[in-house]
Amino acid sequence: MRTLLSLMLVAACGHLAAAAELTTPWERDSATTPRYAETVAWCRQLADAHPTVALTTFGRSPEERDLPLVIWDADGLRDPAAVHAAGRTVVLIQACIHAGESCGKDAGMTLVRDLAELGGPADLCVLFIPIFNVDGHERFGPYNRVNQNGPREMGWRVTAQNLNLNRDFLKADAPEMRAWLALWNAWSPHFLVDIHSTDGADYQYAISYGLELHGNLDAGLTGWLTGYLGAMEAAMAADGLPLVPYVSFRRWHDPRSGLESWVAGPRFSQGYAAVRNRPGLLIETHMLKPYPVRVAATRALLDHTLAYLAAGGPELQALAAAADRHATSSEFRAAPLPLRWAATDVSHPIPFLGMAYEAVASELSGGEWFRYHPDRPDTFLIDVFDEPAVAAAADVPEAYLVPPAWTEVVERLGL
């Protein structure tokens, strides 16, 4: 008995030592976020310690950095075909597409570590890009987002070529984006999560979201996504982290003018996912909240999302497959395809958890600016304008004729 107890203590101590080694850099100092080399080295350490985790790359940046990809699968599957053959729901989580907005990197590192250490849903395969904009990430400094409440230093918004990756999903100018599109085509994820931090106004919410619910996503998938949103709102509220749609005021910076939701075009992550018949979640943490709060809120929404996908994955897979079939059907080609959307005056009220504020006349411009009082939380009723209408549509062509001088168009369409 004493020998068995001794062996158990040795095993427990060994596990604690391994767990300590796999503490993320952010967990060691919650006011910081790790640089590229430290992030990749930690991911390598995690993969070496756990057979359920693999670290690979999916491309190279203009400054010759690898684009890292972490794969978690309960059976250690690595090949996209094998993962799909096993019936997995594939979830792609990406962070640092805007490299100064690092909440997703630090939350995602704790997530994949806990999946490896504690186990996760066997029916899911999680792909995690800790840093998408790797070159912009290494333009590190304390002043890259001067209004943001931590971390102490962070990366830069655009790539080494001054390209904004979250405007590039359709045009694919950046080498990083071309690599990402190859990754998407190889893995065909069922659900995308793209993680950011906001700019702009002050309010009580630590986290907000963007989802394509306004007509640019297949109707069956839109219905599924509506159910997902309801579940996330309830779960996050129970955590003390109420959700609100992406905070974009109808009149610039004026909360009482109401919130306006729009249809994201395919240059944005969630808009691109929608035109590829997949739901995409845009996470926007509130930049004025302390950095540990933003990371924790991101992690909470990721946890609830994976739990929902573990239960609802088979339905999502079936709906995605049906949407793909419909997109190649004569019925799809018979209807005009919406290309542009416009806001309408249709709205509904919600209680908005804001801050007291006042409009102040600018001595410089004569215009208005808004002064917030974060020590005075205020809840007020505002309208949400979230029923945009189709402003332009076109018939879907049977084929495209591309002049010989424009072969690059063919290459981009291939991507």
Side-chain angles (χ1 to χ4, degrees):
M1 183 68 177
R2 186 175 301 160
T3 303
L4 178 60
L5 180 59
S6 299
L7 290 172
M8 291 173 65
L9 287 171
V10 169
C13 290
H15 177 76
L16 288 172
E21 291 174 1
L22 292 172
T23 299
T24 69
W26 171 78
E27 288 172 318
R28 292 193 289 269
D29 182 355
S30 63
T32 66
T33 191
R35 297 287 295 266
Y36 171 84
E38 188 177 11
T39 301
V40 173
W42 184 91
C43 293
R44 169 54 60 200
Q45 188 178 10
L46 178 67
D48 289 345
H50 290 283
T52 58
V53 178
L55 173 64
T56 184
T57 63
F58 66 97
R60 296 274 282 177
S61 74
E63 291 185 342
E64 294 297 310
R65 292 183 178 91
D66 287 327
L67 304 178
L69 176 70
V70 178
I71 306 169
W72 175 85
D73 181 89
D75 294 324
L77 299 179
R78 306 286 181 261
D79 176 67
V83 166
H84 281 276
R88 303 286 201 263
T89 299
V90 180
V91 188
L92 173 57
I93 301 169
Q94 62 188 35
C96 292
I97 188 172
H98 294 153
E101 304 167 25
S102 52
C103 301
K105 174 182 61 177
D106 291 313
M109 289 167 73
T110 70
L111 174 69
V112 292
R113 188 269 319 281
D114 289 350
L115 288 171
E117 292 277 343
L118 305 174
D123 293 333
L124 297 185
C125 178
V126 177
L127 312 178
F128 174 50
I129 301 172
I131 306 171
F132 188 0
N133 177 11
V134 291
D135 293 342
H137 188 278
E138 291 309 281
R139 188 174 165 179
F140 221 64
Y143 309 119
N144 289 341
R145 287 175 60 82
V146 293
N147 294 328
Q148 183 170 278
N149 189 1
R152 281 198 291 268
E153 294 186 277
M154 71 290 294
W156 187 249
R157 183 176 181 85
V158 297
T159 69
Q161 297 176 326
N162 263 356
L163 292 170
N164 184 339
L165 289 176
N166 202 30
R167 306 295 185 271
D168 197 41
F169 283 88
L170 190 67
K171 59 188 177 67
D173 285 338
E176 298 96 325
M177 185 56 69
R178 294 172 195 157
W180 185 94
L181 291 167
L183 173 74
W184 179 279
N185 290 329
W187 280 93
S188 192
H190 299 104
F191 195 90
L192 171 68
V193 184
D194 187 23
I195 307 170
H196 295 251
S197 292
T198 64
D199 300 299
D202 200 2
Y203 40 82
Q204 297 175 50
Y205 302 94
I207 191 167
S208 60
Y209 68 88
L211 292 170
E212 295 309 296
L213 299 170
H214 308 301
N216 60 333
L217 182 64
D218 172 84
L221 289 168
T222 301
W224 183 93
L225 198 55
T226 301
Y228 161 81
L229 173 59
M232 294 305 102
E233 288 176 326
M236 292 293 282
D239 289 342
L241 294 165
L243 287 175
V244 69
Y246 181 85
V247 177
S248 177
F249 297 126
R250 212 171 195 217
R251 188 163 71 88
W252 183 248
H253 281 311
D254 183 0
R256 286 186 169 83
S257 68
L259 293 179
E260 190 166 70
S261 295
W262 67 93
V263 174
R267 63 179 183 156
F268 299 100
S269 60
Q270 75 275 26
Y272 182 78
V275 301
R276 294 296 299 265
N277 293 325
R278 299 296 185 269
L281 167 67
L282 173 71
I283 292 179
E284 289 275 358
T285 65
H286 185 205
M287 69 170 188
L288 297 178
K289 298 295 181 286
Y291 190 58
V293 172
R294 303 195 328 258
V295 175
T298 301
R299 174 61 196 272
L301 188 49
L302 290 176
D303 284 343
H304 293 310
T305 294
L306 292 190
Y308 192 87
L309 289 170
E315 180 187 7
L316 173 60
Q317 290 186 44
L319 289 168
D324 287 345
R325 290 192 298 271
H326 179 250
T328 62
S329 68
S330 58
E331 179 186 7
F332 179 81
R333 291 195 300 273
L337 181 69
L339 297 177
R340 192 171 69 249
W341 305 75
T344 68
D345 291 327
V346 180
S347 67
H348 62 90
I350 65 166
F352 183 78
L353 304 179
M355 302 289 187
Y357 70 97
E358 57 187 315
V360 180
S362 169
E363 296 178 3
L364 293 175
S365 69
E368 275 188 335
W369 63 284
F370 292 85
R371 177 185 293 147
Y372 291 92
H373 300 283
D375 57 334
R376 291 160 49 194
D378 191 9
T379 299
F380 36 86
L381 204 64
I382 65 172
D383 288 321
V384 177
F385 297 83
D386 59 358
E387 293 193 29
V390 176
D395 293 334
V396 179
E398 291 290 339
Y400 294 90
L401 297 177
V402 182
W406 292 98
T407 53
E408 187 176 353
V409 172
V410 178
E411 293 171 6
R412 298 294 174 98
L413 289 173
L415 291 168

